Amino acid sequence: MRNFLNSFVVGLTLIASASHAQSCGGSFSGFVDGLKSEAVAKGHERTTVNAFFKSARYDPKVIKADRSQGVFQKPFLDFSRAVISNHRINAGASNAKKYKSIFDRIETTYGVPRGVLLAFWALETDFGAVQGNFNTLNALVTLSHDCRRPELFRPQVFAALELYERGNFSPANTTGAWAGEIGMVQMLPEDIITNGVDGDGDGRVSLKTSAPDALMSGASMLRSLGWRANEPWLVEIKVPSNMDWSQTGIDKTKSVQDWVNLGVRGRNGQLTGANMQTSVLLLQGRNGPAFLAYPNFNVYFEWNQSFVYVTTAAYFATRLSGAPVYDAGNPDTGLSGNQMKALQKKLSARGHDVGKIDGILGAKTRAAVQSEQRRLGMPADAWPTPDLLDRI
């Protein structure tokens, strides 16, 4: 499920001695030959390179999975209710108890709360039960060959080669998610090299079989992405009915105290961090659930770019940390997937950058919706409705 790849966009860097290697597309065998040449030019031994790429095959199922992420078309309430089950709540509590000493170490060393890691662990792999059965090398090479996002995946191929040289990767047998992530919290090869931690002290970083290794590695990665210790990430709030809705959204911030002055209140207690810059999130408009997003919430977007996944993971982390179920409110009727695509086409025609026409209400589409709502004199809460679709 998870796709936190944008946190590792480093660009497609082809060193001069391997500049003839194709960047993507074309003959797959020729593409693999180019990867081999580049690997040798980077200093890897040719015999090692040949052995590493020997089993590499194109996997059409990977491309199909990459093009079939329709689950993110669901609005927050539907998506969160689908993935946050009583089983996951109960398993989270059980694992928090089972690995208490590990979580204590994590909070002391990295400042990442146990609820945050438990939520990722649950949503990514059901606490390690479902880690994916795609051959990792094939997935990475296939996605590097594909011309949709080669700059995201090509560096991971060479990171996997480095893991292979260390004895921590099997080209033929290492498996994981369709996008090349490995282990209980789904980390890419570069993540493992940079943030892999031997949490159980056995001398190896085993993200597929060791929960302590996976959890501590995940915490290390979150800290490297900017997680701030001892600060909140998401808090449910109540907002006044006369609020200026155009001030809401992840792209707009005010201090907590400024929001309080405007009538925002914590639903389950007083808001903390008076001077911290935060955003009011209306996930399904002014009549739906509302949250205050703190700076740590932005770190979630380094892990995954899907707005609905990020907000669900962050909310789930609050639940696992003791927060009650959200107040769902009574949101206005939203759009179907096809209606959302039609809206995105209209927004794009009006000059808005909504990214890909995919039927997903992401951050860019939300910003465009809010802009059009302001123009039309509608409540600018960034929640698209059939009325908005008709009026644009």
Side-chain angles (χ1 to χ4, degrees):
M1 177 184 295
R2 184 172 63 81
N3 180 9
F4 55 83
L5 297 168
N6 280 11
S7 60
F8 303 100
V9 176
V10 295
L12 181 57
T13 304
L14 303 182
I15 56 180
S17 57
S19 61
H20 62 280
Q22 64 204 62
S23 60
C24 67
S27 160
F28 185 75
S29 61
F31 178 77
V32 173
D33 287 341
L35 291 175
K36 291 180 179 179
S37 297
E38 185 175 347
V40 172
K42 288 177 178 289
H44 300 279
E45 292 291 335
R46 184 172 295 278
T47 55
T48 300
V49 169
N50 288 338
F52 177 74
F53 284 103
K54 182 180 179 180
S55 64
R57 300 291 184 272
Y58 182 84
D59 188 346
K61 292 182 180 179
V62 168
I63 299 302
K64 181 179 180 180
D66 183 49
R67 305 295 196 266
S68 305
Q69 300 185 66
V71 64
F72 295 128
Q73 289 184 354
K74 291 183 177 182
F76 170 74
L77 289 175
D78 292 348
F79 184 81
S80 61
R81 287 166 175 165
V83 301
I84 301 175
S85 62
N86 286 332
H87 163 73
R88 283 177 168 171
I89 291 287
N90 293 334
S94 176
N95 278 301
K97 182 178 180 179
K98 179 178 181 180
Y99 295 103
K100 180 182 182 301
S101 62
I102 296 298
F103 285 119
D104 288 345
R105 284 172 57 195
I106 286 171
E107 291 179 352
T108 299
T109 305
Y110 302 107
V112 179
R114 61 199 67 200
V116 171
L117 286 166
L118 284 164
F120 278 127
W121 193 12
L123 296 181
E124 296 298 341
T125 65
D126 251 338
F127 301 104
V130 185
Q131 298 186 31
N133 57 8
F134 287 86
N135 177 275
T136 300
L137 177 60
N138 291 348
L140 292 174
V141 176
T142 297
L143 290 167
S144 299
H145 175 262
D146 183 52
C147 288
R148 191 164 87 86
R149 294 176 297 168
E151 74 283 356
L152 303 180
F153 296 97
R154 192 182 187 106
Q156 302 299 332
V157 174
F158 299 109
L161 172 58
E162 184 174 339
L163 288 175
Y164 171 65
E165 291 171 326
R166 297 180 181 184
N168 293 330
F169 187 93
S170 169
N173 299 316
T174 296
T175 58
W178 64 264
E181 303 101 337
I182 302 167
M184 295 189 187
V185 294
Q186 300 286 267
M187 294 175 66
L188 287 163
E190 280 191 337
D191 309 335
I192 299 170
I193 290 171
T194 304
N195 292 297
V197 178
D198 175 16
D200 58 18
D202 68 352
R204 296 178 62 85
V205 177
S206 305
L207 303 186
K208 292 175 69 72
T209 59
S210 171
D213 288 8
L215 293 168
M216 294 199 72
S217 297
S220 175
M221 186 175 72
L222 284 169
R223 187 179 68 173
S224 74
L225 294 175
W227 189 271
R228 291 156 57 160
N230 304 314
E231 292 186 10
W233 57 96
L234 193 72
V235 175
E236 190 175 4
I237 55 174
K238 296 185 290 186
V239 295
S241 60
N242 62 347
M243 190 170 186
D244 178 0
W245 307 115
S246 68
Q247 297 302 303
T248 66
I250 192 64
D251 57 335
K252 304 174 187 69
T253 62
K254 294 181 186 295
S255 71
V256 172
Q257 187 59 56
D258 285 342
W259 289 121
V260 170
N261 293 341
L262 291 172
V264 173
R265 296 291 183 268
R267 180 184 171 220
N268 306 302
Q270 186 174 353
L271 296 172
T272 61
N275 296 321
M276 297 178 69
Q277 290 297 305
T278 54
S279 301
V280 167
L281 304 183
L282 307 175
L283 301 181
Q284 290 186 220
R286 65 197 186 282
N287 296 318
F291 293 91
L292 194 66
Y294 285 76
N296 274 336
F297 180 76
N298 294 320
V299 176
Y300 278 81
F301 286 104
E302 300 294 336
W303 186 293
N304 189 295
Q305 289 293 297
S306 166
F307 192 89
V308 70
Y309 179 89
V310 161
T311 50
T312 297
Y315 160 69
F316 190 20
T318 69
R319 288 288 310 281
L320 292 168
S321 301
V325 177
Y326 50 55
D327 179 1
N330 187 28
D332 295 334
T333 300
L335 303 180
S336 68
N338 287 334
Q339 286 177 316
M340 190 70 73
K341 289 179 181 179
L343 176 64
Q344 289 175 320
K345 290 177 181 178
K346 287 187 175 185
L347 292 170
S348 181
R350 292 194 64 85
H352 296 287
D353 177 13
V354 298
K356 182 182 177 182
I357 306 299
D358 55 9
I360 297 173
L361 182 59
K364 289 183 178 180
T365 300
R366 284 178 178 270
V369 166
Q370 193 171 52
S371 177
E372 287 299 302
Q373 288 172 325
R374 287 198 302 268
R375 182 181 68 84
L376 295 168
M378 304 173 71
D381 60 3
W383 177 242
T385 61
D387 183 36
L388 175 67
L389 178 60
D390 290 341
R391 292 178 63 178
I392 292 181

